[in-house]
Amino acid sequence: MLPGVQLQLSELEFSYVRAQGAGGQHVNKTSTAAVLRFDSQQSSLPDWAKQRLLCYADDRITREGLVLIKAQSSRSQEQNKQDAITRLVALLQKALFVEKRRKATRPTLASKIRRLDGKKAQQQRKQQRGKVRLQEG
């Protein structure tokens, strides 16, 4: 996952419900959809990760830091469970990713000269677009 971030399987809570959508007669008898509950505030995540997760804008994360993921794409409970874990890891990777800070740099002398030369060329072009005057004589 991310450096310094470990996820324990014991922190994940699964429940199984009936999947939605078409599926024939069998779908009404079995509970194959997996609902994963991950309480980020009670987990072993570092404090900075818990704070970033609370601030991350995603419908699957509640205000209390509870992450709810429902996986129902497969007919198998085990495959849905694996899919939910994969989606949780992907969510955590996106939420906890920290971009590198941009290092402020100054333009080089050559780039300044190129910029000014371009401005002078544009100025010349625009000055040549003046009205045409007839010369008498």
Side-chain angles (χ1 to χ4, degrees), residues 18-32:
R18 290 190 181 139
Q20 297 172 327
Q25 298 165 339
H26 186 67
V27 76
N28 297 324
K29 296 187 288 186
T30 58
S31 299
T32 55

Side-chain angles (χ1 to χ4, degrees), residues 69-117:
I69 295 178
K70 182 177 182 182
Q72 60 182 5
S73 59
S74 173
R75 287 184 175 189
S76 161
Q77 250 186 21
E78 193 57 38
Q79 284 179 341
N80 284 334
K81 181 179 175 181
Q82 289 303 317
D83 183 38
I85 292 172
T86 305
R87 286 166 44 192
L88 174 68
V89 170
L91 173 71
L92 290 175
Q93 284 176 336
K94 275 180 85 173
L96 303 182
F97 178 75
V98 180
E99 288 187 15
K100 284 185 178 178
R101 289 188 64 103
R102 182 187 175 277
K103 215 182 268 186
T105 58
R106 294 174 60 193
T108 62
L109 179 62
S111 67
K112 286 181 185 177
I113 292 172
R114 279 194 303 268
R115 184 180 129 267
L116 293 175
D117 286 345

